[in-house]
Structure formats: C-alpha cells, structure tokens
Amino acid sequence: KWSGIGFAYLSALTAICVVVSYTGCFFLIDSTVSRLMVKVPGISITNNKLSIDKPSPYTIELDLGDGRSSKFVFDTSGKMKSLEDTDGAAVLVTADELVLKDPATEENRTPFSALNITEWKLTPDSLGQVRLLVNQIIIGVMAILGVLALLGHFFLAALYGGIGMIMSGVTNAGLTYGTSVRLAVVAMAPAMIVSAVLWAAGLLAVSQIWSLVSVPLTLGYLYFACASAAKLAQDK
C-alpha cells in the first residue's frame, strides 16, 4: 500500500546500516592504529642516517586477528642486513634503508640517501597528528563508500524488482514494476541489517560468506511477497 518505489525507506535503511557498519570498522581501524603508534619508537633521520630512542634491535609485533601477526624490526646496529635476519618480519628499518617484504622480488629496498633527508623527526606529538590525519582520511573514504553503497542498493532494488516481475507472472500476482521494486526493497532489509552488524563486529570474513547466502534469502522473501500478493488478489 506504499506509494512510490520505497526510495525513502531504502535511503533511511542504507544510512542506518552505513553508520552502524562503518562506525564499527572505524573504531577497529583506529584501535589498530593506536596499538601500533604506542609501540613506535621516536625516530630521527639526520643526513640520511636513522636513529631511534630504543635499544637496537627493536621489534614491533602487531596482532592482526585470527592468529595472524605482522612484525616491524628496527636495527640501527648494522647486525641485520635483510628480512632473512629478522625471523619473519614484514618490514626492516636499518640506519641506512627501509626494507619491505615484496612477493615479486622478496625484498624491496629504499635507501634513505635516495630520499635526500637532511633532518626529520618522528615524536609522540607528530604521531598524534598522523593519527588525526589517518582518521580524517578514513572518515572521508567511508563517506564516499556510503554514497556508493546507496547507489549499489538502488541498482540491486531495480534488479530484484525485475526478478519480482518474473515471480509475479509465475504466481499470478499481477504486480506493476513499481510495486515489485517496493517489495524488493523490503526483501533486501534482513540481508542489509545482518551485513551491517557483521561489519560493525569486525567479522569481515563472515560478511563475505553472508553476502553469498543473502542472495537466495532475499529472493526467498521476494517470492513469499509475490505469493502473498497473489493470494490477496484471489481473495478479493
């Protein structure tokens, strides 16, 4: 009995789901960045030579969840020359260069001399500014993703609406396309809500599986709606 195609309903539902899911993701990312920044030593580069305010070698191990972790090793003593010396680290920072793990070449080396750094320091204050900048970038990216999510949901509603027309023909519901889209929007709601909760909880792997399960679930709700509409039409 609604008018239109459920535009306002879908927009409001998408906005709620985006806020819930992205807020959870934001705090998860911010927590990870905070744990990393607490462990980062004070760093100083003078005339292309790096030094830290911690005993060398200094290792940062970041828990990535699901039993996975990543190591960052600082060694300004000259003992470690490559990632093979670090016992599985993904990053090695020496006094002279930055060494990154690279699947193609095994190691990607960037000498500080190539950057031509005369004077540079990383302090707790500057780390706080970096964290603020990272948070601003994350919020901006999430705002863009929210708009894309809304457009994506409109596309899905139109697609499910077309499928609903086929179901309408099978069940003799006699629906118009606008009504079919309206029912499709409501049928999408459970999948959207569960997906938002999974994202908010940081269960991204489960969310990927759910995205596959949600398709037949949404189609099942849509068919139930068409069959119910057909029954109402017969009762009249």
Side-chain angles (χ1 to χ4, degrees), residues 97-124:
E97 61 183 352
L98 173 67
V99 185
L100 303 175
K101 192 172 184 179
D102 188 333
T105 61
E106 294 188 359
E107 289 186 354
N108 186 353
R109 296 176 174 270
T110 304
F112 296 128
S113 57
L115 304 177
N116 194 22
I117 301 175
T118 305
E119 187 71 30
W120 181 82
K121 289 185 178 182
L122 184 64
T123 64

PDB file of all heavy atoms in Angstrom, residues 97-124:
ATOM      1  N   GLU A  97      68.524   2.237   5.349  1.00  0.00           N
ATOM      2  CA  GLU A  97      67.489   1.964   4.361  1.00  0.00           C
ATOM      3  C   GLU A  97      66.249   1.329   4.967  1.00  0.00           C
ATOM      4  O   GLU A  97      66.260   0.841   6.111  1.00  0.00           O
ATOM      5  CB  GLU A  97      68.034   1.058   3.255  1.00  0.00           C
ATOM      6  CG  GLU A  97      68.504  -0.298   3.744  1.00  0.00           C
ATOM      7  CD  GLU A  97      69.105  -1.151   2.630  1.00  0.00           C
ATOM      8  OE1 GLU A  97      69.027  -0.755   1.454  1.00  0.00           O
ATOM      9  OE2 GLU A  97      69.651  -2.218   2.954  1.00  0.00           O
ATOM     10  N   LEU A  98      65.185   1.350   4.169  1.00  0.00           N
ATOM     11  CA  LEU A  98      63.912   0.717   4.520  1.00  0.00           C
ATOM     12  C   LEU A  98      63.753  -0.515   3.642  1.00  0.00           C
ATOM     13  O   LEU A  98      63.803  -0.422   2.417  1.00  0.00           O
ATOM     14  CB  LEU A  98      62.758   1.693   4.291  1.00  0.00           C
ATOM     15  CG  LEU A  98      61.341   1.144   4.462  1.00  0.00           C
ATOM     16  CD1 LEU A  98      61.072   0.770   5.916  1.00  0.00           C
ATOM     17  CD2 LEU A  98      60.307   2.162   3.996  1.00  0.00           C
ATOM     18  N   VAL A  99      63.551  -1.674   4.281  1.00  0.00           N
ATOM     19  CA  VAL A  99      63.428  -2.937   3.549  1.00  0.00           C
ATOM     20  C   VAL A  99      62.018  -3.481   3.770  1.00  0.00           C
ATOM     21  O   VAL A  99      61.617  -3.724   4.910  1.00  0.00           O
ATOM     22  CB  VAL A  99      64.473  -3.972   4.016  1.00  0.00           C
ATOM     23  CG1 VAL A  99      64.387  -5.225   3.139  1.00  0.00           C
ATOM     24  CG2 VAL A  99      65.869  -3.379   3.991  1.00  0.00           C
ATOM     25  N   LEU A 100      61.274  -3.680   2.671  1.00  0.00           N
ATOM     26  CA  LEU A 100      59.904  -4.172   2.737  1.00  0.00           C
ATOM     27  C   LEU A 100      59.793  -5.533   2.085  1.00  0.00           C
ATOM     28  O   LEU A 100      60.496  -5.820   1.101  1.00  0.00           O
ATOM     29  CB  LEU A 100      58.942  -3.201   2.042  1.00  0.00           C
ATOM     30  CG  LEU A 100      58.907  -1.763   2.550  1.00  0.00           C
ATOM     31  CD1 LEU A 100      57.985  -0.924   1.674  1.00  0.00           C
ATOM     32  CD2 LEU A 100      58.445  -1.721   3.992  1.00  0.00           C
ATOM     33  N   LYS A 101      58.884  -6.350   2.608  1.00  0.00           N
ATOM     34  CA  LYS A 101      58.626  -7.661   2.015  1.00  0.00           C
ATOM     35  C   LYS A 101      57.859  -7.467   0.719  1.00  0.00           C
ATOM     36  O   LYS A 101      56.841  -6.779   0.683  1.00  0.00           O
ATOM     37  CB  LYS A 101      57.822  -8.528   2.985  1.00  0.00           C
ATOM     38  CG  LYS A 101      57.750  -9.985   2.603  1.00  0.00           C
ATOM     39  CD  LYS A 101      57.110 -10.797   3.707  1.00  0.00           C
ATOM     40  CE  LYS A 101      57.106 -12.278   3.382  1.00  0.00           C
ATOM     41  NZ  LYS A 101      56.492 -13.077   4.474  1.00  0.00           N
ATOM     42  N   ASP A 102      58.339  -8.079  -0.351  1.00  0.00           N
ATOM     43  CA  ASP A 102      57.722  -7.942  -1.665  1.00  0.00           C
ATOM     44  C   ASP A 102      57.575  -9.334  -2.277  1.00  0.00           C
ATOM     45  O   ASP A 102      58.566 -10.029  -2.483  1.00  0.00           O
ATOM     46  CB  ASP A 102      58.600  -7.066  -2.557  1.00  0.00           C
ATOM     47  CG  ASP A 102      57.919  -6.713  -3.874  1.00  0.00           C
ATOM     48  OD1 ASP A 102      57.069  -7.495  -4.324  1.00  0.00           O
ATOM     49  OD2 ASP A 102      58.247  -5.664  -4.446  1.00  0.00           O
ATOM     50  N   PRO A 103      56.330  -9.789  -2.550  1.00  0.00           N
ATOM     51  CA  PRO A 103      56.127 -11.133  -3.103  1.00  0.00           C
ATOM     52  C   PRO A 103      56.871 -11.356  -4.419  1.00  0.00           C
ATOM     53  O   PRO A 103      57.288 -12.465  -4.729  1.00  0.00           O
ATOM     54  CB  PRO A 103      54.605 -11.200  -3.327  1.00  0.00           C
ATOM     55  CG  PRO A 103      54.036 -10.182  -2.401  1.00  0.00           C
ATOM     56  CD  PRO A 103      55.056  -9.094  -2.333  1.00  0.00           C
ATOM     57  N   ALA A 104      57.053 -10.297  -5.205  1.00  0.00           N
ATOM     58  CA  ALA A 104      57.686 -10.447  -6.514  1.00  0.00           C
ATOM     59  C   ALA A 104      59.203 -10.581  -6.401  1.00  0.00           C
ATOM     60  O   ALA A 104      59.809 -11.470  -6.998  1.00  0.00           O
ATOM     61  CB  ALA A 104      57.325  -9.263  -7.397  1.00  0.00           C
ATOM     62  N   THR A 105      59.826  -9.707  -5.614  1.00  0.00           N
ATOM     63  CA  THR A 105      61.289  -9.692  -5.535  1.00  0.00           C
ATOM     64  C   THR A 105      61.806 -10.117  -4.165  1.00  0.00           C
ATOM     65  O   THR A 105      63.006 -10.056  -3.918  1.00  0.00           O
ATOM     66  CB  THR A 105      61.815  -8.277  -5.848  1.00  0.00           C
ATOM     67  OG1 THR A 105      61.280  -7.364  -4.881  1.00  0.00           O
ATOM     68  CG2 THR A 105      61.385  -7.840  -7.231  1.00  0.00           C
ATOM     69  N   GLU A 106      60.907 -10.543  -3.279  1.00  0.00           N
ATOM     70  CA  GLU A 106      61.221 -10.944  -1.897  1.00  0.00           C
ATOM     71  C   GLU A 106      61.560  -9.746  -1.015  1.00  0.00           C
ATOM     72  O   GLU A 106      61.108  -9.663   0.107  1.00  0.00           O
ATOM     73  CB  GLU A 106      62.363 -11.969  -1.859  1.00  0.00           C
ATOM     74  CG  GLU A 106      62.001 -13.297  -2.489  1.00  0.00           C
ATOM     75  CD  GLU A 106      63.062 -14.344  -2.279  1.00  0.00           C
ATOM     76  OE1 GLU A 106      64.094 -14.011  -1.656  1.00  0.00           O
ATOM     77  OE2 GLU A 106      62.864 -15.475  -2.728  1.00  0.00           O
ATOM     78  N   GLU A 107      62.364  -8.799  -1.518  1.00  0.00           N
ATOM     79  CA  GLU A 107      62.706  -7.619  -0.728  1.00  0.00           C
ATOM     80  C   GLU A 107      62.698  -6.364  -1.613  1.00  0.00           C
ATOM     81  O   GLU A 107      63.219  -6.378  -2.729  1.00  0.00           O
ATOM     82  CB  GLU A 107      64.084  -7.761  -0.076  1.00  0.00           C
ATOM     83  CG  GLU A 107      64.119  -8.778   1.044  1.00  0.00           C
ATOM     84  CD  GLU A 107      65.449  -8.790   1.768  1.00  0.00           C
ATOM     85  OE1 GLU A 107      66.387  -8.089   1.345  1.00  0.00           O
ATOM     86  OE2 GLU A 107      65.558  -9.516   2.777  1.00  0.00           O
ATOM     87  N   ASN A 108      62.098  -5.321  -1.080  1.00  0.00           N
ATOM     88  CA  ASN A 108      62.087  -4.034  -1.771  1.00  0.00           C
ATOM     89  C   ASN A 108      62.857  -3.039  -0.902  1.00  0.00           C
ATOM     90  O   ASN A 108      62.422  -2.696   0.190  1.00  0.00           O
ATOM     91  CB  ASN A 108      60.645  -3.579  -1.988  1.00  0.00           C
ATOM     92  CG  ASN A 108      60.567  -2.314  -2.831  1.00  0.00           C
ATOM     93  OD1 ASN A 108      61.574  -1.703  -3.151  1.00  0.00           O
ATOM     94  ND2 ASN A 108      59.353  -1.928  -3.174  1.00  0.00           N
ATOM     95  N   ARG A 109      63.989  -2.556  -1.384  1.00  0.00           N
ATOM     96  CA  ARG A 109      64.875  -1.704  -0.589  1.00  0.00           C
ATOM     97  C   ARG A 109      64.798  -0.248  -1.044  1.00  0.00           C
ATOM     98  O   ARG A 109      64.855   0.035  -2.235  1.00  0.00           O
ATOM     99  CB  ARG A 109      66.323  -2.191  -0.679  1.00  0.00           C
ATOM    100  CG  ARG A 109      66.532  -3.579  -0.078  1.00  0.00           C
ATOM    101  CD  ARG A 109      67.962  -4.068  -0.277  1.00  0.00           C
ATOM    102  NE  ARG A 109      68.175  -5.320   0.417  1.00  0.00           N
ATOM    103  CZ  ARG A 109      68.598  -5.440   1.675  1.00  0.00           C
ATOM    104  NH1 ARG A 109      68.879  -4.335   2.370  1.00  0.00           N
ATOM    105  NH2 ARG A 109      68.750  -6.622   2.226  1.00  0.00           N
ATOM    106  N   THR A 110      64.671   0.636  -0.049  1.00  0.00           N
ATOM    107  CA  THR A 110      64.668   2.073  -0.327  1.00  0.00           C
ATOM    108  C   THR A 110      65.722   2.753   0.545  1.00  0.00           C
ATOM    109  O   THR A 110      65.511   2.948   1.748  1.00  0.00           O
ATOM    110  CB  THR A 110      63.287   2.702  -0.038  1.00  0.00           C
ATOM    111  OG1 THR A 110      62.277   2.018  -0.791  1.00  0.00           O
ATOM    112  CG2 THR A 110      63.291   4.179  -0.396  1.00  0.00           C
ATOM    113  N   PRO A 111      66.872   3.113  -0.018  1.00  0.00           N
ATOM    114  CA  PRO A 111      67.908   3.808   0.767  1.00  0.00           C
ATOM    115  C   PRO A 111      67.451   5.206   1.168  1.00  0.00           C
ATOM    116  O   PRO A 111      66.804   5.899   0.375  1.00  0.00           O
ATOM    117  CB  PRO A 111      69.109   3.860  -0.182  1.00  0.00           C
ATOM    118  CG  PRO A 111      68.806   2.883  -1.268  1.00  0.00           C
ATOM    119  CD  PRO A 111      67.315   2.832  -1.387  1.00  0.00           C
ATOM    120  N   PHE A 112      67.777   5.601   2.382  1.00  0.00           N
ATOM    121  CA  PHE A 112      67.409   6.949   2.818  1.00  0.00           C
ATOM    122  C   PHE A 112      68.165   8.011   2.024  1.00  0.00           C
ATOM    123  O   PHE A 112      67.691   9.141   1.875  1.00  0.00           O
ATOM    124  CB  PHE A 112      67.689   7.118   4.314  1.00  0.00           C
ATOM    125  CG  PHE A 112      66.845   6.221   5.179  1.00  0.00           C
ATOM    126  CD1 PHE A 112      67.420   5.401   6.133  1.00  0.00           C
ATOM    127  CD2 PHE A 112      65.472   6.188   5.026  1.00  0.00           C
ATOM    128  CE1 PHE A 112      66.649   4.577   6.924  1.00  0.00           C
ATOM    129  CE2 PHE A 112      64.679   5.364   5.806  1.00  0.00           C
ATOM    130  CZ  PHE A 112      65.266   4.552   6.758  1.00  0.00           C
ATOM    131  N   SER A 113      69.324   7.642   1.488  1.00  0.00           N
ATOM    132  CA  SER A 113      70.094   8.590   0.683  1.00  0.00           C
ATOM    133  C   SER A 113      69.329   8.982  -0.578  1.00  0.00           C
ATOM    134  O   SER A 113      69.483  10.088  -1.098  1.00  0.00           O
ATOM    135  CB  SER A 113      71.444   7.976   0.297  1.00  0.00           C
ATOM    136  OG  SER A 113      71.258   6.748  -0.401  1.00  0.00           O
ATOM    137  N   ALA A 114      68.481   8.051  -1.082  1.00  0.00           N
ATOM    138  CA  ALA A 114      67.690   8.358  -2.276  1.00  0.00           C
ATOM    139  C   ALA A 114      66.600   9.376  -1.968  1.00  0.00           C
ATOM    140  O   ALA A 114      66.106  10.067  -2.872  1.00  0.00           O
ATOM    141  CB  ALA A 114      67.068   7.075  -2.827  1.00  0.00           C
ATOM    142  N   LEU A 115      66.219   9.459  -0.689  1.00  0.00           N
ATOM    143  CA  LEU A 115      65.191  10.416  -0.284  1.00  0.00           C
ATOM    144  C   LEU A 115      65.775  11.781   0.035  1.00  0.00           C
ATOM    145  O   LEU A 115      65.045  12.766   0.159  1.00  0.00           O
ATOM    146  CB  LEU A 115      64.441   9.878   0.944  1.00  0.00           C
ATOM    147  CG  LEU A 115      63.794   8.492   0.777  1.00  0.00           C
ATOM    148  CD1 LEU A 115      63.161   8.051   2.082  1.00  0.00           C
ATOM    149  CD2 LEU A 115      62.765   8.519  -0.339  1.00  0.00           C
ATOM    150  N   ASN A 116      67.100  11.809   0.225  1.00  0.00           N
ATOM    151  CA  ASN A 116      67.824  13.057   0.492  1.00  0.00           C
ATOM    152  C   ASN A 116      67.224  13.805   1.687  1.00  0.00           C
ATOM    153  O   ASN A 116      66.814  14.962   1.586  1.00  0.00           O
ATOM    154  CB  ASN A 116      67.823  13.949  -0.751  1.00  0.00           C
ATOM    155  CG  ASN A 116      68.834  15.087  -0.645  1.00  0.00           C
ATOM    156  OD1 ASN A 116      69.799  14.989   0.131  1.00  0.00           O
ATOM    157  ND2 ASN A 116      68.612  16.156  -1.375  1.00  0.00           N
ATOM    158  N   ILE A 117      67.188  13.109   2.836  1.00  0.00           N
ATOM    159  CA  ILE A 117      66.611  13.691   4.058  1.00  0.00           C
ATOM    160  C   ILE A 117      67.728  14.296   4.905  1.00  0.00           C
ATOM    161  O   ILE A 117      68.618  13.582   5.390  1.00  0.00           O
ATOM    162  CB  ILE A 117      65.861  12.616   4.870  1.00  0.00           C
ATOM    163  CG1 ILE A 117      64.736  12.004   4.021  1.00  0.00           C
ATOM    164  CG2 ILE A 117      65.294  13.211   6.151  1.00  0.00           C
ATOM    165  CD1 ILE A 117      64.022  10.857   4.698  1.00  0.00           C
ATOM    166  N   THR A 118      67.696  15.592   5.066  1.00  0.00           N
ATOM    167  CA  THR A 118      68.708  16.271   5.880  1.00  0.00           C
ATOM    168  C   THR A 118      68.362  16.214   7.359  1.00  0.00           C
ATOM    169  O   THR A 118      69.215  15.908   8.200  1.00  0.00           O
ATOM    170  CB  THR A 118      68.848  17.748   5.441  1.00  0.00           C
ATOM    171  OG1 THR A 118      69.136  17.800   4.043  1.00  0.00           O
ATOM    172  CG2 THR A 118      69.960  18.435   6.214  1.00  0.00           C
ATOM    173  N   GLU A 119      67.093  16.491   7.678  1.00  0.00           N
ATOM    174  CA  GLU A 119      66.656  16.484   9.077  1.00  0.00           C
ATOM    175  C   GLU A 119      65.173  16.129   9.143  1.00  0.00           C
ATOM    176  O   GLU A 119      64.340  16.771   8.490  1.00  0.00           O
ATOM    177  CB  GLU A 119      66.889  17.857   9.712  1.00  0.00           C
ATOM    178  CG  GLU A 119      66.626  17.907  11.213  1.00  0.00           C
ATOM    179  CD  GLU A 119      67.678  17.171  12.031  1.00  0.00           C
ATOM    180  OE1 GLU A 119      68.847  17.105  11.588  1.00  0.00           O
ATOM    181  OE2 GLU A 119      67.330  16.669  13.112  1.00  0.00           O
ATOM    182  N   TRP A 120      64.832  15.083   9.909  1.00  0.00           N
ATOM    183  CA  TRP A 120      63.430  14.670  10.067  1.00  0.00           C
ATOM    184  C   TRP A 120      63.287  13.920  11.388  1.00  0.00           C
ATOM    185  O   TRP A 120      64.145  13.113  11.746  1.00  0.00           O
ATOM    186  CB  TRP A 120      63.010  13.784   8.899  1.00  0.00           C
ATOM    187  CG  TRP A 120      61.569  13.342   8.966  1.00  0.00           C
ATOM    188  CD1 TRP A 120      60.482  14.049   8.577  1.00  0.00           C
ATOM    189  CD2 TRP A 120      61.073  12.095   9.476  1.00  0.00           C
ATOM    190  NE1 TRP A 120      59.327  13.327   8.794  1.00  0.00           N
ATOM    191  CE2 TRP A 120      59.669  12.122   9.344  1.00  0.00           C
ATOM    192  CE3 TRP A 120      61.686  10.961  10.017  1.00  0.00           C
ATOM    193  CZ2 TRP A 120      58.859  11.059   9.747  1.00  0.00           C
ATOM    194  CZ3 TRP A 120      60.886   9.892  10.409  1.00  0.00           C
ATOM    195  CH2 TRP A 120      59.489   9.948  10.275  1.00  0.00           C
ATOM    196  N   LYS A 121      62.203  14.210  12.110  1.00  0.00           N
ATOM    197  CA  LYS A 121      61.977  13.557  13.394  1.00  0.00           C
ATOM    198  C   LYS A 121      60.526  13.100  13.509  1.00  0.00           C
ATOM    199  O   LYS A 121      59.615  13.766  13.005  1.00  0.00           O
ATOM    200  CB  LYS A 121      62.312  14.497  14.554  1.00  0.00           C
ATOM    201  CG  LYS A 121      63.789  14.766  14.743  1.00  0.00           C
ATOM    202  CD  LYS A 121      64.040  15.607  15.993  1.00  0.00           C
ATOM    203  CE  LYS A 121      65.528  15.832  16.200  1.00  0.00           C
ATOM    204  NZ  LYS A 121      65.793  16.624  17.442  1.00  0.00           N
ATOM    205  N   LEU A 122      60.349  11.959  14.184  1.00  0.00           N
ATOM    206  CA  LEU A 122      59.016  11.448  14.484  1.00  0.00           C
ATOM    207  C   LEU A 122      58.901  11.348  15.998  1.00  0.00           C
ATOM    208  O   LEU A 122      59.577  10.551  16.639  1.00  0.00           O
ATOM    209  CB  LEU A 122      58.802  10.068  13.849  1.00  0.00           C
ATOM    210  CG  LEU A 122      57.402   9.468  14.019  1.00  0.00           C
ATOM    211  CD1 LEU A 122      56.359  10.314  13.307  1.00  0.00           C
ATOM    212  CD2 LEU A 122      57.367   8.035  13.498  1.00  0.00           C
ATOM    213  N   THR A 123      58.051  12.187  16.592  1.00  0.00           N
ATOM    214  CA  THR A 123      57.876  12.259  18.039  1.00  0.00           C
ATOM    215  C   THR A 123      56.439  11.872  18.394  1.00  0.00           C
ATOM    216  O   THR A 123      55.587  11.741  17.521  1.00  0.00           O
ATOM    217  CB  THR A 123      58.156  13.690  18.523  1.00  0.00           C
ATOM    218  OG1 THR A 123      57.168  14.566  17.942  1.00  0.00           O
ATOM    219  CG2 THR A 123      59.548  14.142  18.115  1.00  0.00           C
ATOM    220  N   PRO A 124      56.148  11.677  19.699  1.00  0.00           N
ATOM    221  CA  PRO A 124      54.758  11.380  20.096  1.00  0.00           C
ATOM    222  C   PRO A 124      53.766  12.429  19.615  1.00  0.00           C
ATOM    223  O   PRO A 124      52.644  12.097  19.230  1.00  0.00           O
ATOM    224  CB  PRO A 124      54.852  11.347  21.626  1.00  0.00           C
ATOM    225  CG  PRO A 124      56.243  10.900  21.900  1.00  0.00           C
ATOM    226  CD  PRO A 124      57.078  11.533  20.831  1.00  0.00           C
TER     227      PRO A 124
END
